[in-house]
């Protein structure tokens, strides 16, 4: 039985809307998740960090990421500012500041695991989840590749596997969540040689940070980055220089991302319901576009082949004409040479004949002696 395009799209839209009923997207809700009270986190003491990049090496090993182009022992990479990418969950950057006796400051950058994640707020398929352990994790099986999370993140952390056309994923630090579930430390924390990274309950980390600032006010800036930024993060920082000089944003405010996006994201369930229709339309347009492109490409190739053949034929005719002319010239030259040689031979023969006749005439003119004369 034939099915019209309108009826097909109608069925797809109904199916999408049906799937949405009773399962509203978390991002569209006006209720904000405020984090787990006993969630864990990491305190990064920038003053203690020496930029050894051991944390980068551990992260690479634990998460089985591709090896870097330059060894983790190569510290020349610190000469330029870097950022995380699909193959690098964490990086260390060096900053020259006037604080701490003009000593460089080393800052580790990775996902800050917000208490109320902007990525989860922007995701209408619940691909991101804030766990009770404190980590913000990602489910690639439900991700549709819209990359709203990358736009929403105020720290510019999530990255995309653009080099994987069939199965691209959003990539970022997981706080080593599988290790946390097993009771282990995050890989970077476990290997840090200067104890610049401390893992524990977030409330305990805040207490440790305040104590360090109180005991050494001349060494630390009186601010715990991540305590309140964007509603708070599970990754906290203390440093000996203003955070604005360490490449960190200080204009984020204290309002969680969901509070800023709830109104706009209220329409997300409608988008989810119409998503199959949208994808079908995009697919049809894409197929049509591809077909036209293929036809144009085939026509262009045919024209190019025809032009090439015509050009080759013209070139061949020119070559043949040139060869014919060269052949004619060579024949004329050979004939001319032969005629010249023949004329020369005739001249030589005539000269010899004249010379012989002269000799005979001379012989006849000379007196002959007889016996009587003698």
């Amino acid at each position: 039985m034939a099915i019209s395009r309108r009826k097909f799209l109608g069925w797809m839209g109904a199916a999408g809307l049906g799937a949405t009923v009773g399962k509203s997207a978390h991002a569209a809700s006006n209720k904000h998740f405020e984090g787990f009270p006993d969630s864990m986190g990491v305190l990064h003491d920038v003053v203690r960090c020496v930029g050894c990049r051991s944390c980068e090496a551990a992260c690479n090993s634990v998460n089985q990421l591709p090896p870097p182009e330059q060894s983790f022992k190569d510290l020349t990479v610190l000469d330029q500012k870097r950022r995380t990418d699909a193959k690098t969950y964490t990086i260390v950057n060096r900053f020259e500041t006037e604080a701490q006796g003009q000593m460089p400051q080393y800052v580790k950058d990775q996902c800050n695991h917000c208490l109320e994640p902007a990525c989860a707020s922007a995701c209408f398929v619940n691909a991101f989840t804030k766990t009770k352990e404190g980590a913000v994790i990602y489910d690639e099986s439900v991700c549709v590749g819209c990359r709203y999370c990358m736009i929403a993140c105020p720290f510019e952390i999530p990255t995309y596997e653009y080099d994987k056309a069939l199965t691209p994923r959003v990539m970022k630090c997981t706080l080593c969540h599988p290790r946390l579930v097993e009771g282990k430390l995050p890989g970077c924390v476990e290997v840090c040689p200067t104890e610049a990274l401390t893992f524990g309950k977030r409330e305990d980390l805040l207490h440790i940070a305040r104590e360090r600032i109180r005991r050494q006010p001349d060494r630390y800036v009186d601010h715990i980055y991540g305590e309140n930024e964007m509603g708070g993060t599970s990754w906290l920082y203390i440093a000996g220089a203003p955070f604005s000089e360490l490449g960190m944003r200080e204009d984020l405010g204290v309002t969680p991302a969901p509070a800023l996006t709830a109104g706009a994201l209220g329409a997300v369930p409608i988008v989810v319901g119409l998503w199959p229709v949208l994808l079908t339309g995009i697919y049809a347009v894409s197929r049509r576009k591809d077909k036209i492109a293929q036809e144009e490409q085939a026509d262009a190739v045919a024209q190019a082949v025809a032009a090439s053949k015509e050009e080759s034929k013209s070139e061949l005719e020119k070559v043949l004409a040139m060869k014919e002319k060269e052949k004619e010239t060579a024949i004329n030259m050979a004939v001319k040479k032969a005629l010249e040689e023949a004329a020369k031979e005739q001249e030589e023969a005539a000269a010899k004949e004249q010379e012989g006749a002269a000799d005979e005439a001379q012989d006849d003119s000379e007196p002959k002696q007889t016996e009587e004369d003698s």
Side-chain angles (χ1 to χ4, degrees):
M1 179 179 67
I3 301 176
S4 67
R5 179 174 177 274
R6 182 183 298 274
K7 182 177 293 187
F8 172 74
L9 294 179
W11 286 357
M12 292 295 290
L17 290 171
T20 307
V21 175
K23 188 180 179 181
S24 299
H26 174 71
S29 173
N30 288 327
K31 295 181 180 180
H32 302 140
F33 176 69
E34 298 180 355
F36 293 97
D38 295 326
S39 66
M40 312 299 281
V42 177
L43 172 63
H44 176 33
D45 190 333
V46 175
V47 174
R48 295 186 178 187
C49 185
V50 295
C52 66
R53 300 184 65 201
S54 296
C55 54
E56 293 186 32
C59 177
N60 181 273
S61 176
V62 168
N63 293 286
Q64 299 180 344
L65 299 174
E69 295 181 359
Q70 294 176 266
S71 168
F72 289 111
K73 295 182 180 180
D74 185 358
L75 301 184
T76 60
V77 298
L78 299 175
D79 293 339
Q80 58 183 355
K81 185 178 179 181
R82 299 174 295 149
R83 61 157 295 177
T84 58
D85 56 39
K87 300 177 182 178
T88 310
Y89 288 175
T90 185
I91 52 94
V92 176
N93 279 320
R94 181 178 63 204
F95 295 90
E96 304 294 339
T97 67
E98 297 181 358
Q100 296 294 318
Q102 296 185 344
M103 293 292 290
Q105 303 276 293
Y106 299 95
V107 181
K108 181 179 180 297
D109 192 20
Q110 71 296 299
C111 175
N112 287 326
H113 299 278
C114 303
L115 299 185
E116 300 184 56
C119 55
S121 173
C123 182
F124 56 83
V125 293
N126 294 337
F128 290 92
T129 305
K130 178 71 174 182
T131 66
K132 63 180 181 180
E133 292 81 13
V136 177
I137 59 175
Y138 163 75
D139 183 358
E140 63 183 87
S141 66
V142 299
C143 180
V144 296
C146 67
R147 286 160 284 175
Y148 291 161
C149 54
M150 296 172 61
I151 300 174
C153 179
F155 304 108
E156 299 181 348
I157 292 299
T159 56
Y160 199 64
E161 291 182 315
Y162 289 101
D163 58 337
K164 294 186 178 181
L166 299 179
T167 58
R169 297 170 296 174
V170 174
M171 307 296 282
K172 74 173 193 66
C173 161
T174 65
L175 200 62
C176 289
H177 182 256
R179 291 172 61 90
L180 301 187
V181 175
E182 296 175 0
K184 300 178 181 179
L185 292 172
C188 57
V189 177
E190 188 174 60
V191 301
C192 183
T194 62
E195 296 185 357
L197 301 175
T198 305
F199 177 79
K201 289 186 178 181
R202 186 174 184 273
E203 290 301 320
D204 294 340
L205 297 177
L206 289 171
H207 176 73
I208 293 172
R210 293 191 189 100
E211 277 297 301
R212 290 184 186 177
I213 294 173
R214 183 185 66 81
R215 292 180 180 180
Q216 296 178 298
D218 57 334
R219 195 177 186 190
Y220 293 97
V221 173
D222 188 13
H223 179 62
I224 304 174
Y225 193 93
E227 180 178 13
N228 297 306
E229 277 76 10
M230 293 299 295
T233 62
S234 293
W235 201 282
L236 307 168
Y237 298 82
I238 54 176
F243 290 101
S244 59
E245 297 181 12
L246 303 179
M248 303 172 73
R249 295 181 60 180
E250 291 189 314
D251 61 341
L252 298 176
V254 298
T255 305
L260 300 174
T261 58
L265 291 173
V268 168
I270 298 177
V271 176
V272 175
L274 295 177
W275 191 251
V277 179
L278 177 62
L279 289 179
T280 302
I282 292 175
Y283 177 72
V285 172
S286 178
R287 285 293 300 274
R288 176 60 178 166
K289 182 179 179 181
D290 291 342
K291 183 178 179 180
I292 294 175
Q294 290 176 358
E295 291 175 352
E296 291 178 348
Q297 183 179 10
D299 184 55
V301 170
Q303 292 180 5
V305 170
S308 178
K309 288 183 178 179
E310 188 66 27
E311 183 178 357
S312 299
K313 182 180 179 181
S314 177
E315 290 295 328
L316 179 60
E317 291 177 351
K318 289 181 180 179
V319 171
L320 292 175
M322 183 176 66
K323 293 296 183 182
E324 188 65 28
K325 187 174 182 180
E326 290 177 354
K327 181 180 178 180
E328 183 179 352
T329 302
I331 292 173
N332 292 335
M333 290 293 293
V335 171
K336 182 179 179 182
K337 184 177 180 181
L339 292 175
E340 289 177 350
E341 290 178 351
K344 186 177 179 181
E345 289 178 356
Q346 288 179 358
E347 289 177 358
E348 291 177 352
K352 287 182 179 180
E353 288 179 359
Q354 291 178 359
E355 185 178 347
D359 291 342
E360 289 179 358
Q362 185 177 359
D363 292 342
D364 292 339
S365 62
E366 290 181 357
K368 298 181 179 179
Q369 292 183 352
T370 65
E371 293 180 358
E372 296 178 355
D373 292 335
S374 60

